[in-house]
Amino acid sequence: MTDLRALSAIELADRLASREVSAKEVCETFLSALERDDHNCLIAVRKEEALAEAAAVDRARTSGEKLPRTAGLPLVIKDNMVMRGKLPTTCGSKILANFRSPYDAHVVERLRQAGMIVLGKANMDEFAMGSSSENSAFGPVRGPVDRERVAGGSSGGSASAVALKLTPLALGSDTGGSIRQPAAFCGIAGLKPTYGRVSRYGLVAFGSSLDQIGPLARTVKDAALLLGVIAGHDRRDSTSAEVPVPDYLAALEGDLKGLKVGLPAEYFPAALEGPVRKVVEERIENLRKLGAETVEIHLPHTEYAIAAYYIIATAEASANLARFDGVRYGHRSSRQGDLLEMYRTSRSEGFGPEVKRRIMLGTYVLSSGYYDAYYLKAQKVRTLITRDFTEAFKKVDVILTPTTPTPAFKLGSLVDDPVSMYLQDIFTVTINLAGVPAISVPAGTVDGLPVGVQLIGRHFDEPAILKTAARLEGGVNG
Ligand code: GLN
């Protein structure tokens, strides 16, 4: 008997379409794997509703209805995307532990239209703030390769679940690296689309000028399939772009002859660990063998990116999180007091330490007297970083970098050192500041731990990075 968990999403879709397997069988297989999970990947499993939806897909298929290619495919979604039904949308926070959404996020509507089945809500850093999924009110996610190491974050539950074959696919969100970094740590593919490519209607906002939803999958092809489901215009998100959605699967065909790949010197600093550099360089060599041309380039403002990102992201977070006041959403303190006291105690009890740190930082950089010195300056740096990419893309078609400076670190090793934790994001935050798309694909391993390579593209040129990533992946596996 075939091990359904070992199949790719595309293979599963083909078997579902030919009725070799039923949606119910597939759904039951993954649900039981999720129920046995001991890596804390999920906050909640969506059992009855998922099984009922699978049964509906099976009935439609048996009656000869024409269904989308993805009908019956299961997945998990990060718990910052709202979904109607029995399960709460927690954002990994105590403050939303009992929040049930009255509506579906745009991506959830798209999944439903595609006949896909949400199996559960994935664990994450609280409000997507973190790089290790240790800032979750529901406990840390464990890494799929080494349980004593982090899965990365903030979409760590999504990434670990995909790597452990508890689900063929997952959705994550990426504000400064939260899809790509956990994908790299878990040895899978993760794509942050262009800003505006996927609607954020129903994604709980963290840094609104940076946030994007994207796919996590074990193969690039599966990521392309899921991107095709969620991409496209939605008028309820004013930043959603009216740019036609190409056929991402078709984009995977074709070779890399003549493709110009930029290697930014700033992403290969002398301090980059030797073994990580070696793994990435092997992939660069692969690309050359496949006919791509590599060009050394410069993204000169990279060194200011972490500072600018942690000012802009926290400023936006402090504004976005003001809505959690104990009145409209979530936890309300039972302590007695006046209205202000109620806001204060509800927020103090509901938010975890990292979220509080970010709200304070963000409020500080926006306060009068400091606005020009920090926030305005960070916005100027952002313009320069964006310009670096515009200039680079005049010379090259895609840019290649390591996704992270190191493989997954030990659980607990950075939680008490926020600045070191922030520095983990050195290679990923620039991409969100510039709004360009990027994918992380497995590049190899260092001491058995996965390392990722990041491919960055021009705005809306997901096809170029997907095609390059698919060839790279072949180099690792074949
Ligand atoms: N690690 C980064 C942060 O903590 C990015 C998080 C994200 O992309 N959601 O802000």
Side-chain angles (χ1 to χ4, degrees):
M1 220 186 95
T2 344
D3 176 7
L4 295 176
R5 285 174 57 191
L7 299 177
S8 72
I10 300 259
E11 287 165 343
L12 264 178
D14 290 346
R15 283 170 205 228
L16 282 161
S18 65
R19 289 170 56 193
E20 235 170 283
V21 287
S22 68
K24 184 164 168 276
E25 243 175 288
V26 172
C27 193
E28 276 169 351
T29 303
F30 286 102
L31 279 173
S32 78
L34 284 168
E35 280 169 348
R36 281 179 281 123
D37 168 37
D38 58 358
H39 287 68
N40 207 19
C41 296
L42 258 66
I43 289 175
V45 178
R46 192 171 165 268
K47 192 170 178 177
E48 291 88 43
E49 289 163 296
L51 284 171
E53 287 164 13
V57 167
D58 287 334
R59 275 197 304 279
R61 210 163 243 144
T62 321
S63 70
E65 227 177 276
K66 176 116 187 64
L67 297 179
R69 177 173 193 184
T70 42
L73 265 187
L75 84 167
V76 304
I77 64 175
K78 187 176 180 178
D79 205 14
N80 57 353
M81 298 168 210
V82 303
M83 186 168 190
R84 252 186 305 113
K86 291 201 190 104
L87 299 190
T89 298
T90 70
C91 272
S93 182
K94 259 202 306 210
I95 209 160
L96 288 179
N98 295 311
F99 169 68
R100 278 174 185 75
S101 171
Y103 71 101
D104 281 335
H106 177 76
V107 288
V108 172
E109 290 174 356
R110 287 291 189 90
L111 296 173
R112 291 194 199 272
Q113 286 156 12
M116 295 182 70
I117 294 162
V118 176
L119 298 180
K121 311 291 295 289
N123 201 356
M124 57 183 281
D125 282 304
E126 185 175 4
F127 285 100
M129 297 172 187
S131 309
S132 67
S133 298
E134 292 170 290
N135 298 334
S136 166
F138 302 91
V141 180
R142 290 181 174 272
V145 178
D146 177 350
R147 297 175 48 79
E148 299 311 318
R149 288 179 189 266
V150 301
S154 63
S155 313
S158 299
S160 199
V162 169
L164 290 163
K165 302 192 171 96
L166 308 177
T167 174
L169 294 166
L171 285 183
S173 68
D174 189 313
T175 305
S178 279
I179 291 175
R180 291 159 288 153
Q181 184 255 25
F185 281 5
C186 294
I188 61 167
L191 185 147
K192 183 205 85 77
T194 307
Y195 186 72
R197 180 72 294 181
V198 178
S199 166
R200 286 104 35 89
Y201 177 75
L203 171 73
V204 179
F206 163 13
S208 304
S209 74
L210 304 156
D211 300 336
Q212 268 295 294
I213 297 173
L216 293 116
R218 287 194 301 278
T219 68
V220 173
K221 208 170 173 184
D222 285 353
L225 176 77
L226 185 52
L227 178 63
V229 171
I230 59 171
H233 182 247
D234 168 30
R235 60 179 177 73
R236 295 165 303 183
D237 173 357
S238 61
T239 65
S240 155
E242 281 197 79
V243 175
V245 178
D247 181 341
Y248 294 117
L249 285 171
L252 299 178
E253 308 302 326
D255 59 38
L256 301 186
K257 292 218 170 56
L259 183 88
K260 287 208 174 70
V261 181
L263 306 173
E266 294 78 6
Y267 286 68
F268 294 88
L272 184 66
E273 277 186 20
V276 173
R277 181 190 298 272
K278 190 163 162 278
V279 165
V280 176
E281 278 172 356
E282 279 167 14
R283 298 284 76 82
I284 296 171
E285 202 38 52
N286 267 167
L287 285 184
R288 290 198 190 106
K289 285 197 188 123
L290 291 164
E293 185 190 325
T294 52
V295 184
E296 180 170 319
I297 57 162
H298 286 279
L299 297 166
H301 297 93
T302 304
E303 64 171 304
Y304 308 111
I306 288 279
Y309 169 82
Y310 276 95
I311 288 172
I312 294 169
T314 55
E316 294 182 7
S318 74
N320 277 325
L321 270 57
R323 75 192 64 172
F324 303 104
D325 55 7
V327 177
R328 287 167 295 179
Y329 303 99
H331 172 75
R332 178 182 297 184
S333 174
S334 54
R335 281 196 263 163
Q336 300 295 318
D338 62 12
L339 182 67
L340 274 181
E341 184 64 12
M342 192 277 286
Y343 289 157
R344 205 173 62 78
T345 49
S346 300
R347 286 166 70 84
S348 300
E349 290 166 10
F351 290 136
E354 181 62 24
V355 174
K356 286 178 183 158
R357 184 179 296 124
R358 304 264 182 137
I359 293 173
M360 286 191 275
L361 262 173
T363 307
Y364 178 77
V365 298
L366 287 175
S367 58
S368 71
Y370 295 104
Y371 182 92
D372 290 7
Y374 295 111
Y375 184 71
L376 200 63
K377 196 170 237 167
Q379 292 291 15
K380 289 180 180 169
V381 170
R382 181 175 193 171
T383 303
L384 295 173
I385 287 173
T386 309
R387 227 176 263 164
D388 282 355
F389 280 98
T390 312
E391 287 305 310
F393 281 124
K394 287 182 185 159
K395 300 190 203 96
V396 298
D397 303 306
V398 300
I399 296 173
L400 183 150
T401 76
T403 309
T404 58
T406 64
F409 43 90
K410 285 251 162 68
L411 277 162
S413 62
L414 296 182
V415 266
D416 298 323
D417 184 357
V419 174
S420 300
M421 189 73 96
Y422 298 170
L423 287 170
Q424 287 294 319
D425 305 333
I426 182 97
F427 300 147
T428 50
V429 294
T430 45
I431 282 77
N432 303 71
L433 290 168
V436 289
I439 185 170
S440 177
V441 266
T445 55
V446 168
D447 297 332
L449 300 170
V451 168
V453 65
Q454 171 171 252
L455 295 157
I456 310 160
R458 297 185 179 104
H459 288 105
F460 297 101
D461 201 2
E462 281 83 2
I465 55 173
L466 282 166
K467 182 172 92 173
T468 315
R471 294 293 104 78
L472 266 184
E473 169 185 66
V476 178
N477 300 327

